[in-house]
Amino acid sequence: MPVTKPAAENTDNPELPERDRNLRDLAYDRLQKMWLDGTIKPHQWLSQRQVVEMTGAPLAPVRDALKRLEAEGLVSLQPKRGIYTLGITPQQISEIYEFRMLLEVPAVGRVAERPDLVTVGRMLSVSKALYASRLGTDEDWAAELPQRIEADVEFHRYIIGQFHNAFIADAFDRAISRQRLYRLTFPGSNLRDGAALAEHIDVLSAIINGTPASAMEAMRTHLGRALRRTLDLSERSD
């Protein structure tokens, strides 16, 4: 399932030659996947040579990808020491969700006013199928988790995309990148009970029904519950 990235995402260094931009994006995407699958962990030191070997990209594009990750708050580049991978605190999680609440609640109201029924219907079908999955083993869960994360990111990016504002899309994407860290900082955050998917279904159903007020309330409920779930897990991890 393709995930549409914000238009502003690949314009942070337009002076790079096209080949280097492609390699930079390749290195960035591979590093992001390593965050998600746990290959890269919070509070870890890496050298540029290690990152080059891990991504299979040349040094110059890797350096540019690392600068982008530093701007997103995922790493700290320390001269003569290396690359330090960052974690995320409960306070930062609260701030991210406050930011998202300010954006996503009004955005989903816009979506419900003039919904793209084909796109929203497809996302609703995917959410219902994932919610209905019965993942009996750790292996089943590990295999399906990337699809669940991808569906989650696509859903929220679609909502934010209704602003048609590259600055907002870029700021939102940076917030989402930082939020992904809690899946590593607090490993129990990948809950299997399907609560988030059920909330997505409520939001998408309200959009299809063309009821902006209901869609906004469903999104407000979803983000509020997601924050409480995350903070509860972080407190249990202390």
Side-chain angles (χ1 to χ4, degrees):
M1 180 193 307
V3 177
T4 303
K5 295 184 178 180
E9 191 169 272
N10 291 328
T11 61
D12 49 343
N13 193 350
E15 296 181 359
L16 279 177
E18 180 66 26
R19 176 178 175 275
D20 284 351
R21 283 204 302 272
N22 292 338
L23 289 171
R24 184 274 315 275
D25 291 343
L26 175 66
Y28 175 85
D29 289 343
R30 287 181 177 173
L31 285 167
Q32 285 277 23
K33 289 177 181 176
M34 290 175 192
W35 277 106
L36 291 178
D37 67 18
T39 302
I40 296 176
K41 303 182 184 300
H43 311 300
Q44 176 182 1
W45 283 100
L46 297 169
S47 67
Q48 287 189 352
R49 178 177 295 181
Q50 284 177 294
V51 177
V52 166
E53 292 174 352
M54 293 165 76
T55 61
L59 180 58
V62 163
R63 282 176 173 167
D64 207 68
L66 288 170
K67 289 177 183 177
R68 182 169 160 190
L69 289 169
E70 184 176 45
E72 294 176 354
L74 296 177
V75 301
S76 175
L77 305 182
Q78 303 283 336
K80 299 183 180 180
R81 296 191 67 188
I83 301 126
Y84 185 66
T85 61
L86 301 176
I88 188 167
T89 66
Q91 177 61 34
Q92 289 170 326
I93 291 171
S94 296
E95 291 170 357
I96 288 170
Y97 273 100
E98 181 179 14
F99 171 75
R100 292 183 59 185
M101 190 81 75
L102 291 171
L103 289 179
E104 292 189 71
V105 172
V108 81
R110 292 190 182 194
V111 177
E113 288 174 357
R114 299 182 64 181
D116 175 350
L117 295 179
V118 173
T119 300
V120 175
R122 177 180 57 77
M123 288 193 290
L124 180 59
S125 296
V126 169
S127 296
K128 286 182 175 179
L130 291 172
Y131 183 72
S133 297
R134 293 294 180 262
L135 304 174
T137 67
D138 291 342
E139 290 74 17
D140 291 339
W141 174 253
E144 191 169 285
L145 180 58
Q147 186 182 1
R148 289 180 175 237
I149 292 173
E150 188 174 9
D152 179 79
V153 172
E154 183 192 24
F155 166 71
H156 288 286
R157 277 183 172 155
Y158 173 75
I159 300 300
I160 287 298
Q162 304 313 298
F163 283 117
H164 303 290
N165 184 308
F167 180 84
I168 289 176
D170 184 63
F172 179 80
D173 205 52
R174 291 171 188 268
I176 289 294
S177 294
R178 284 192 60 78
Q179 187 181 323
R180 288 174 185 167
L181 282 175
Y182 84 72
R183 289 189 170 98
L184 301 175
T185 307
F186 312 120
S189 61
N190 295 313
L191 296 174
R192 303 190 192 188
D193 61 5
L197 281 167
E199 292 155 13
H200 284 195
I201 290 168
D202 289 342
V203 175
L204 292 166
S205 298
I207 292 172
I208 287 178
N209 291 335
T211 51
S214 296
M216 292 170 69
E217 184 57 32
M219 179 63 80
R220 188 178 291 108
T221 298
H222 167 50
L223 293 175
R225 288 176 177 172
L227 172 58
R228 289 193 293 274
R229 285 192 294 265
T230 304
L231 291 180
D232 180 55
L233 285 162
S234 68
E235 288 168 0
R236 281 187 269 157
S237 299
D238 290 341

